Amino acid sequence: MRKMTNVFMILFLLSLAVLSGCGNQTSGQNSEGSDAKNGSDNGKTKVVFWHAMGGDLKPVLENIVKKFNEKHPDIEVDPVFQGTYEEALTKYRSVGGTKNAPAIIQTFEVGTKYMIDSGYIQPVQKFIDQDHYDINQWEPNIRKYYQVNGKQYSMPFNSSTPVLVYNKDAFKKAGLDPNKPPQTYSELMEDAKKLTVKSGNKTAQYGFSMLNYGWFFEELLAEQGAYYVNHKNGRAKQATKAAFNGPEGVKVFNLLNNMNKDGSFFNVGSNWDDIRAAFVSGKVAMYLDSSSGINSIVDNSKFSVGAGYLPHPDGKDPQGVVIGGASLWMSKGIGDKKQQAAWEFMKYLASPEVQAEWHTKSGYFAINPKAYDSEIVKEQHKKYPQLETTVNQLHDTKSTPATQGALISVFPESRQKVVTALEKLYQGGDPQQLLDEAAKDTDRAMEIANKTKK
């Protein structure tokens, strides 16, 4: 799960009028409008693909695109890195619905409701129907996030879920079974206390940590089968009220509050690099991370690393996890030829062979489960058994409106409200009061957004 929520997205969602005046932030060579007629200068149908895969993933994606272009001489996919998810979506807001819009844009999961309501996209259901394409080959618990009222709006691409990462060596030293990570809240609290090591007046090792990031709160909520917003997470009809401040949300805040008070919880802040560094250095024995980060953590740790399912409240039947990451959306009004070429590229990305390569090199789930039968994936899972744990957790997830994820156009802003509540919680705030405040702010933002849409 990559870093998503920042001021760009908040401004984007709250200040549509201001953002509308920002203009096109892409250069002519990076836009669909720069093409001659329906293709590029070499006669090929050009498909501009805006993505947010930076760092080590950029060359991996570019290599996949290169292979597609070689196999399809009449199509030229042009991958253009547009920064973070928020930055890419902000830029798309300025060109969506125009000839300068890219054929495909990668958008994070919490941008789903905005994309649907924008009027700028062509649901891929159109091409699924035309081709009689079997979407059952896609991972059910992934594709259903981007499916509303039976219509598939986008194609899942890079998907991840939260996972409990723990130090097996520290477990042994604390007298705990390194092959049995905590499954319930009470087990998590007990293990965290045993794993907390004091050195004089200081704590040398904390038992548990969780990033100050709304995604993890949402996951712990869904694990209980609870909704983030009303009307079945906005999937029955338009969401109008926050629901995360109910008993299930309070359980999550009480858990973190109690661990913070007993000294077994380490408040590392909201930076992904910081929490991963704290774990690798031995400062933290257990923490929640994205499944896509497992390989890197294993490679950079000097101790044995374990992976476990997301903990759940005692006596509660675990429901599973909500997928994070992003999907691929097709622009509307760019011409039938470009749309068809974009669809060909999407189908290529969803093939077992490509998904096997993407899974092993990125750590993200394969949206086509047949990829797990390939030899390269089997070898990867032997090397990183932790990765298989994350896949099993996804497969064990029960498909419900809770685990499908909430549809809310102001999701990034709401997430930030939850982050603020978490920060105040660690400073001694009351769990119920803090959640109520975050819910009230979310309600207000949804009311404004819903009126704007009307």
Side-chain angles (χ1 to χ4, degrees), residues 6-26:
N6 62 20
V7 68
F8 293 106
M9 192 59 191
I10 296 171
L11 290 173
F12 164 66
L13 292 168
L14 286 181
S15 309
L16 295 179
V18 174
L19 287 170
S20 296
C22 290
N24 186 354
Q25 297 184 47
T26 63

Side-chain angles (χ1 to χ4, degrees), residues 48-124:
V48 174
F49 170 29
W50 282 10
H51 69 89
M53 298 285 92
D56 295 337
L57 293 183
K58 188 171 182 285
V60 174
L61 181 59
E62 289 175 342
N63 186 54
I64 290 175
V65 172
K66 180 182 177 182
K67 290 179 180 178
F68 172 83
N69 288 338
E70 291 172 349
K71 292 182 178 181
H72 298 77
D74 57 333
I75 301 173
E76 181 183 352
V77 175
D78 180 16
V80 184
F81 178 65
Q82 294 291 351
T84 65
Y85 292 131
E86 298 92 333
E87 291 166 347
L89 193 51
T90 298
K91 293 174 184 178
Y92 187 72
R93 173 66 180 89
S94 68
V95 299
T98 74
K99 63 180 182 180
N100 292 322
I104 301 173
I105 178 172
Q106 179 188 31
T107 300
F108 56 172
E109 89 281 20
V110 293
T112 297
K113 182 68 166 115
Y114 169 78
M115 293 297 282
I116 291 174
D117 291 346
S118 70
Y120 298 150
I121 60 98
Q122 170 61 59
V124 295

